[in-house]
Amino acid sequence: MSETTAPARRGLFASERARTIAISVVVVAVVTWSAIGLDYSGLATFNPSLALEALRGLLSPDWGYVYDGSGEDLISLLLLTIGIAFLGTAIATVLAIPFALVSSRTLWHNPVVPRVGKFVCNVLRAFPELVYAIIFVRVVGPGPFAGALAIGVHQIGMLGKLFTEQIEAMDEAPVEAVRAVGGNFWQSLFYARLPQLMPIFSSLSLNHFEIAVRSASTLGLVGAGGIGAPLIFAIQARNWATVSIILIGVVVAVFAIDLLGGAIRKRLR
């Protein structure tokens, strides 16, 4: 038996080695092609003195910008950014649940309905928040509301997809038990499905709230509120001390939200 299996094993190892070599060659070829396609002419204008100036500015943050009571200081803008992310995530969480119910193939006998729902979720999450922010700035005007709508619409697609996967992977035994005693669709939904799913949905929403804070930090670049606008203005003015303190503030805020979200997720398990 060992004599017959040895050639098979050698053939298997040879095929795996060939596949690994083929994948490696393709990866190296893609990386090389991408590197060749880049425009390196900008290196001709590189100025070491400007780079050192930027580095010195980044190492000397403007602590006076942290809070000055003007409403345009770091703390005020970070709170606004967090508010944009929270409202956008809340909108997405509420609206993603019906999208997930429509997209789940375990809830529908007709396969067309879940396919349409999944297609809509894929379309919504295909575009980044900045694209939605540009659209909503034109529709509702510049400001935090446009940023919250941009994050909300994008995350409807993201959370809708994740919620759908959880619904399709959940344990169907409690649902069958409710149906066995005469429960209808809505009773099985509220008494068997949602009690299992809500802790998972809450955990996913908290995780995407952390992501939304990072996204909201850049939406100000297109006029959708938050810390992004003063950041780009400081970069354009080469005010590296202000850039430094803004980056520090964003890092601290994201780290604090990550710790808080982690603690809440542990309680939800």
Side-chain angles (χ1 to χ4, degrees):
M1 182 175 180
S2 60
E3 294 179 357
T4 58
T5 57
R9 290 180 179 178
R10 286 196 295 269
L12 179 62
F13 292 152
S15 63
E16 290 181 352
R17 179 182 297 179
R19 183 172 57 183
T20 302
I21 293 174
I23 294 174
S24 301
V25 169
V26 171
V27 171
V28 171
V30 171
V31 172
T32 303
W33 177 76
S34 302
I36 293 174
L38 292 177
D39 182 10
Y40 297 97
S41 60
L43 293 175
T45 60
F46 176 74
N47 191 332
S49 62
L50 294 178
L52 290 175
E53 178 187 351
L55 181 60
R56 285 195 294 267
L58 292 174
L59 295 177
S60 303
D62 181 11
W63 297 105
Y65 185 70
V66 173
Y67 183 77
D68 56 16
S70 65
E72 297 295 328
D73 51 76
L74 178 65
I75 292 179
S76 301
L77 292 174
L78 279 177
L79 290 176
L80 177 61
T81 301
I82 294 172
I84 293 171
F86 182 82
L87 178 58
T89 306
I91 293 172
T93 301
V94 172
L95 296 181
I97 293 177
F99 272 92
L101 295 177
V102 172
S103 303
S104 177
R105 55 181 173 78
T106 58
L107 301 180
W108 299 89
H109 298 293
N110 186 352
V112 176
V113 176
R115 288 177 183 175
V116 173
K118 289 180 179 179
F119 175 77
V120 174
C121 289
N122 288 334
V123 171
L124 291 177
R125 67 190 182 91
F127 303 98
E129 290 93 340
L130 278 176
V131 174
Y132 287 117
I134 294 172
I135 295 173
F136 283 117
V137 164
R138 297 298 183 184
V139 174
V140 302
F145 185 52
L149 290 177
I151 290 176
V153 172
H154 175 75
Q155 291 207 3
I156 288 174
M158 298 293 293
L159 289 175
K161 177 180 181 297
L162 295 174
F163 289 178
T164 300
E165 292 175 351
Q166 294 300 322
I167 294 175
E168 292 179 345
M170 65 171 289
D171 183 12
E172 293 288 333
V175 178
E176 297 297 332
V178 172
R179 290 175 178 172
V181 296
N184 57 28
F185 171 82
W186 296 107
Q187 290 171 329
S188 63
L189 175 65
F190 285 103
Y191 292 103
R193 294 188 186 276
L194 290 182
Q196 293 185 70
L197 295 171
M198 289 311 296
I200 303 174
F201 286 178
S202 301
S203 178
L204 291 172
S205 297
L206 284 171
N207 182 60
H208 276 72
F209 171 55
E210 300 167 11
I211 299 173
V213 172
R214 293 191 287 270
S215 300
S217 300
T218 62
L219 295 184
L221 301 176
V222 294
I227 198 70
L231 177 60
I232 191 62
F233 293 152
I235 293 174
Q236 291 174 346
R238 296 182 180 178
N239 188 352
W240 303 115
T242 302
V243 173
S244 177
I245 193 63
I246 291 175
L247 294 178
I248 291 173
V250 172
V251 170
V252 171
V254 171
F255 183 71
I257 292 171
D258 180 65
L259 291 178
L260 179 61
I264 295 175
R265 282 194 296 270
K266 286 181 179 178
R267 292 183 175 273
L268 291 174
R269 292 175 182 174

